[in-house]
């Protein structure tokens, strides 16, 4: 299934934003005042290169589960979709982007950890992901130990592949590529036997039209990754408002719709929506 430019969740956010009574129309500032609700625009940090989660399309539009979550949240804060400015926020720069005020909040596969909570505040979690393996659909790799002697790919600097080697497959051959797109291409060509990172990221790639039916997730659940919405440290008011928005997204079905539309073709065995504040260790 082709990733949709506007999913049902994003459409729901549009309706909500049009009817929101908290929308502020008298603020002349260029940046958001998320604490009081409304403004000319709101700046949201996302990934640009993760299909199914945060992807900038060739026509300049955005798609993915994180995009749908961010659009819904922004709607609840009083912003229409055309008032959202999506800003690429790479993993290494997320804390700094919030501290500098480059973005108002971040929805970008941002796992909640104790170390990160020292620098930023988190709303959520809104998705529980797990480290997993992506293999070819006809692969006989069913467990991590089956990777001994096989080529395992992850991106340069990631700890995912080393975790597999350290914990379950000491004889796996690690291959580091610059991007997950390169890893997936290597899996398709046979240059590597498996790719490892969060299952949500792997499912997003596997759901793309050009890969439909070619890959499968092993379902190993090697770690727990609690995705949260990052907010500038100390902004408790915005955290509370985003938590309210996330709860509403789950309650009205938009959360599940977004999961199925973005990850469905990969047969992603997703966890049910986590409870706000419930961090699974």
């Amino acid at each position: 299934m082709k990733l949709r430019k506007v999913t049902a969740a994003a459409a729901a956010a549009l309706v909500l934003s049009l009817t929101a009574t908290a929308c502020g129309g008298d603020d002349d500032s260029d940046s958001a005042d998320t604490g009081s609700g409304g403004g000319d625009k709101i700046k949201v940090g996302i990934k640009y290169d993760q299909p199914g989660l945060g992807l900038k399309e060739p026509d300049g539009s955005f798609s993915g589960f994180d995009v749908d979550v961010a659009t819904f949240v922004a709607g609840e804060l009083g912003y229409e979709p055309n008032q959202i400015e999506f800003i690429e926020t790479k993993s290494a720069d997320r804390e700094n982007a919030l501290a500098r005020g480059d973005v108002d909040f971040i929805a970008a596969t941002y796992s909640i950890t104790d170390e990160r909570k020292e620098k930023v505040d988190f709303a959520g979690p809104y998705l529980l992901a797990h480290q997993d393996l992506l293999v070819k659909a006809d692969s006989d790799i069913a467990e991590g130990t089956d990777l001994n002697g096989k080529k395992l790919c992850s991106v340069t600097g990631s700890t995912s592949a080393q975790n597999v080697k350290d914990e379950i497959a000491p004889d796996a051959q690690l291959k580091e590529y610059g991007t997950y797109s390169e890893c997936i291409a290597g899996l398709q060509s046979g240059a590597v036997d498996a790719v490892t990172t969060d299952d949500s990221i792997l499912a997003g790639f596997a759901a793309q039209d050009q890969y439909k039916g070619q890959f499968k997730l092993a379902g190993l659940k090697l770690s727990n990754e609690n995705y949260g919405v990052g907010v500038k440290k100390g902004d408790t008011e915005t955290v509370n408002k985003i938590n309210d928005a996330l709860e509403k997204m789950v309650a009205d079905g938009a959360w599940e719709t977004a999961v199925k539309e973005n990850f469905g073709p990969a047969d992603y065995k997703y966890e049910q929506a986590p409870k706000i504040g419930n961090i699974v260790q």
Side-chain angles (χ1 to χ4, degrees):
M1 179 180 71
K2 185 176 180 180
L3 291 173
R4 301 184 181 183
K5 302 295 189 301
V6 179
T7 66
L14 174 58
V15 173
L16 287 166
S17 63
L18 289 174
T19 59
T21 58
C23 182
D26 296 325
D27 187 350
D28 293 330
S29 64
D30 288 334
S31 60
D33 179 4
T34 54
S36 59
D40 287 344
K41 63 183 178 181
I42 188 167
K43 297 179 180 180
V44 181
I46 61 168
K47 297 290 182 66
Y48 275 17
D49 58 354
Q50 290 183 342
L53 285 154
L55 183 69
K56 185 174 183 178
E57 302 280 4
D59 64 1
S61 63
F62 299 93
S63 65
F65 181 70
D66 282 346
V67 173
D68 287 345
V69 169
T71 301
F72 192 101
V73 167
E76 288 297 295
L77 293 176
Y79 295 88
E80 299 180 15
N82 63 7
Q83 291 178 289
I84 303 171
E85 181 180 353
F86 288 115
I87 296 175
E88 183 176 23
T89 311
K90 296 183 178 180
S91 296
D93 194 45
R94 287 179 296 204
E95 288 83 18
N96 290 332
L98 286 168
R100 291 191 304 260
D102 295 346
V103 295
D104 297 297
F105 68 82
I106 294 174
T109 60
Y110 204 178
S111 296
I112 301 171
T113 67
D114 289 338
E115 181 180 3
R116 288 171 178 164
K117 285 193 291 185
E118 294 178 0
K119 301 177 181 178
V120 304
D121 286 338
F122 284 99
Y126 64 88
L127 184 72
L128 176 60
H130 308 281
Q131 185 186 340
D132 202 355
L133 302 174
L134 189 70
V135 297
K136 284 192 172 181
D138 60 355
S139 173
D140 58 2
I141 296 175
E143 299 178 359
T145 53
D146 296 334
L147 282 168
N148 283 312
K150 301 291 181 63
K151 297 174 182 177
L152 175 64
C153 187
S154 193
V155 300
T156 303
S158 170
T159 60
S160 298
Q162 191 61 48
N163 288 343
V164 173
K165 187 175 177 68
D166 290 344
E167 297 178 14
I168 55 178
D171 295 326
Q173 301 176 34
L174 302 188
K175 300 292 182 180
E176 291 188 328
Y177 290 178
T179 66
Y180 285 114
S181 294
E182 293 177 75
C183 281
I184 301 299
L187 180 61
Q188 184 182 42
S189 70
V192 299
D193 300 297
V195 180
T196 186
T197 187
D198 295 357
D199 53 7
S200 59
I201 297 174
L202 297 173
F205 277 102
Q208 291 185 288
D209 278 351
Q210 65 266 40
Y211 300 131
K212 188 175 181 180
Q214 297 185 40
F215 306 132
K216 64 181 180 182
L217 290 162
L220 299 186
K221 297 186 178 181
L222 301 174
S223 70
N224 295 317
E225 307 296 337
N226 300 270
Y227 290 175
V229 177
V231 177
K232 188 174 182 178
K233 188 70 175 176
D235 191 355
T236 303
E237 184 178 359
T238 298
V239 169
N240 291 337
K241 287 186 175 184
I242 292 176
N243 280 335
D244 289 344
L246 294 174
E247 288 181 336
K248 185 172 184 178
M249 186 177 185
V250 172
D252 71 8
W255 183 92
E256 187 167 8
T257 296
V259 170
K260 290 179 178 178
E261 290 192 345
N262 288 296
F263 304 124
D267 193 27
Y268 180 38
K269 303 297 190 298
Y270 62 91
E271 301 277 3
Q272 293 301 306
K275 298 293 184 182
I276 297 300
N278 183 24
I279 307 300
V280 180
Q281 302 296 329

